[in-house]
């Protein structure tokens, strides 16, 4: 059977520090804007069933126990101990953590300590620009400070990430905006913006993306629920510049993300939510991705946010789906066992270590 002894979670968030009741837990489980429909529950989803399958044994319960029993045991252990058991039972050795979300979420040092793992920071570009704007009084100072902030973040972060596609769609003009265009957009945005206001101007978003490309760090792009083929222009414009692009959350357009990874040497595809959302059907989705993308262009992630259970589910579903697909191909004689083990190791950890410049044998704890 395929074995992936170590996993690099190439995109995730921290976990909540607070105790959770049923309603709050479900809200984070469903990851939607509102509660479940009356008379229904987010536990009745592929993700909910996966939580009930994989997480109870890590807390001393039987698999598939009722949600109320599971949450009672969670409260009995306490949020810190439950989180520690779950993260250490995930099989993840390295967490790359997007620290750009609001809320009481643990940062890289805390998740590293809880999980007995390594953790590195991913810097969210939009939040960085908004923080710079809050401390810059003029257009000139904002633009200078923004370039300096990106350069400074690149010295310690493992990657940049952007939600530009979520806020503006994937069809942004691919080329860098001109200096006059940038200054005009910055002036308008700073004049109209309140302290803490979100970055919304598409010209500034493009400018920010191209500053990040110039840094040389990998750039993760949230695809959301749009077709990643709309990013073909940006992928073509950024080719050959030394910066890798990683397409996040491509489901249900996972085949299109895989296709872009096959066309452009610097484009990679994330597997995270495509597998988590499909749960028991994850092996079929993974096989579709493997039909298109070179195996060195695929990266495991949990995409987890808020609940340590989602780190567990992301890891366990990935490992099970990968084993089902590759073991089947080995059994059919299409692949050798040696090649299957090698590819499994690439997707689980090796590709991420290469893209993000991580050591091959990461020590426990924060680097």
């Amino acid at each position: 059977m395929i074995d992936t002894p170590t996993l690099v979670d190439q995109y995730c968030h921290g976990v909540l520090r607070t105790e959770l009741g049923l309603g709050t837990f479900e809200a984070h489980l469903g990851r939607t804007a509102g509660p479940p429909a009356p008379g229904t529950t987010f536990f009745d989803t592929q993700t909910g069933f996966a939580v009930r399958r994989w997480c109870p044994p890590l807390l001393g319960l039987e698999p598939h126990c009722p949600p109320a029993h599971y949450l009672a045991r969670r409260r009995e252990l306490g949020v810190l101990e439950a989180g520690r058991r779950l993260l250490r039972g995930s099989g993840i050795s390295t967490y790359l953590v997007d620290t750009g979300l609001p809320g009481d979420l643990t940062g890289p040092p805390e998740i590293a300590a809880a999980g007995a793992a390594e953790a590195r920071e991913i810097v969210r570009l939009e939040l960085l620009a908004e923080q710079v704007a809050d401390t810059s009084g003029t257009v000139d100072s904002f633009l200078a400070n923004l370039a300096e902030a990106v350069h400074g973040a690149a010295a310690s972060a493992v990657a940049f990430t952007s939600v530009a596609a979520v806020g503006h769609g994937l069809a942004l003009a691919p080329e860098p905006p001109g200096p006059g265009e940038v200054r005009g957009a910055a002036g308008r945005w700073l004049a109209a913006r309140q302290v803490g206001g979100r970055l919304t101007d598409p010209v500034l978003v493009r400018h920010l993306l191209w500053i990040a490309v110039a840094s040389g760090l990998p750039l993760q792009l949230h695809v959301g629920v749009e077709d990643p083929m709309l990013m073909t222009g940006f992928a073509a414009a950024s080719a050959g510049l030394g910066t890798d692009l990683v397409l996040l959350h491509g489901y249900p357009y996972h085949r299109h993300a895989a296709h872009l990874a096959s066309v452009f040497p610097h484009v990679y595809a994330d597997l995270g939510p495509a597998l988590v959302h499909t749960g028991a059907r994850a092996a079929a989705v993974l096989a579709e991705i493997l039909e298109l993308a070179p195996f060195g262009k695929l990266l495991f992630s949990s995409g987890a946010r808020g609940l340590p259970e989602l780190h567990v589910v992301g890891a366990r579903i990935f490992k099970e789906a990968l084993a089902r697909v590759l073991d089947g191909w080995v059994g059919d004689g299409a692949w050798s066992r040696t090649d299957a083990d090698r590819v499994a190791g690439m997707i689980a950890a090796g590709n991420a270590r290469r893209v993000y410049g991580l050591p091959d044998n990461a020590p426990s704890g924060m680097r």
Side-chain angles (χ1 to χ4, degrees):
M1 181 175 178
I2 295 297
D3 184 28
T4 50
T6 183
L7 296 173
V8 173
D9 189 345
Q10 71 101 30
Y11 183 81
C12 66
H13 301 277
V15 301
L16 291 161
R17 299 184 177 96
T18 53
E19 300 285 356
L20 302 177
L22 177 60
T24 308
F25 188 94
E26 279 212 43
H28 288 279
L29 182 64
R31 293 179 66 169
T32 63
T40 72
T41 170
F42 284 136
F43 275 101
D44 285 340
T45 60
Q46 290 284 9
T47 303
F49 273 36
V51 166
R52 291 176 53 217
R53 177 185 181 183
W54 296 112
C55 297
L58 297 176
L59 303 188
L61 299 172
E62 291 296 317
H64 307 294
C65 71
H69 292 179
Y70 177 77
L71 292 177
R73 175 59 173 163
R74 204 179 191 274
R75 289 191 296 272
E76 178 186 356
L77 290 171
V79 65
L80 294 178
E81 177 62 15
R84 187 187 69 83
R85 293 190 185 193
L86 290 163
L87 292 174
R88 296 188 181 195
S90 70
I92 297 170
S93 64
T94 304
Y95 297 89
L96 306 188
V97 185
D98 176 359
T99 57
L101 286 183
D104 190 23
L105 299 175
T106 56
E110 292 169 276
I111 201 169
E118 180 187 15
R120 299 286 299 273
E121 183 181 16
I122 301 167
V123 171
R124 184 168 292 211
L125 288 169
E126 288 81 4
L127 178 62
L128 184 65
E130 291 154 10
Q131 292 171 339
V132 169
D134 288 340
T135 58
S136 301
T138 66
V139 169
D140 287 338
S141 65
F142 167 69
L143 295 177
N145 292 342
L146 181 60
E148 183 178 347
V150 172
H151 178 76
S156 57
V158 73
F160 289 113
T161 191
S162 171
V163 293
V166 177
H168 305 280
L170 297 178
L172 287 168
E175 68 279 353
E181 194 178 3
V182 171
R183 283 184 55 82
R188 291 188 298 272
W189 182 58
L190 292 174
R193 164 183 194 275
Q194 301 294 322
V195 172
R198 304 294 300 275
L199 177 60
T200 57
D201 188 279
V203 172
L204 290 183
V205 168
R206 287 164 53 210
H207 176 63
L208 189 58
L209 292 177
W210 281 102
I211 295 177
V213 167
S215 77
L217 277 190
L219 174 58
Q220 300 176 338
L221 299 167
H222 290 250
V223 175
V225 295
E226 293 197 57
D227 186 346
M229 293 298 291
L230 295 171
M231 298 212 62
T232 301
F234 184 73
S238 58
L241 299 180
T243 294
D244 291 325
L245 307 181
V246 182
L247 305 180
L248 300 177
H249 310 344
Y251 189 77
Y253 295 103
H254 51 286
R255 291 174 64 87
H256 293 182
H259 172 70
L260 285 181
S262 74
V263 171
F264 295 101
H266 67 308
V267 174
Y268 292 76
D270 169 61
L271 298 176
L275 304 186
V276 172
H277 291 326
T278 49
R281 286 279 297 163
V285 173
L286 178 59
E288 291 181 346
I289 296 172
L290 290 169
E291 291 174 8
L292 291 165
F295 310 133
K297 306 297 289 298
L298 299 174
L299 304 167
F300 159 73
S301 80
S302 69
R305 179 179 71 192
L307 302 178
E309 284 83 356
L310 297 179
H311 293 89
V312 174
V313 164
R316 296 298 180 90
I317 287 178
F318 164 74
K319 293 180 76 169
E320 184 177 77
L322 192 66
R324 284 186 181 182
V325 173
L326 300 192
D327 282 340
W329 293 345
V330 170
D332 291 341
W335 284 36
S336 71
R337 172 61 60 187
T338 299
D339 281 340
D341 288 337
R342 182 173 57 84
V343 169
M346 289 164 57
I347 299 173
N351 293 338
R353 294 199 184 283
R354 185 182 74 253
V355 170
Y356 298 106
L358 302 175
D360 289 335
N361 296 302
S364 297
M366 183 69 180
R367 281 186 73 246

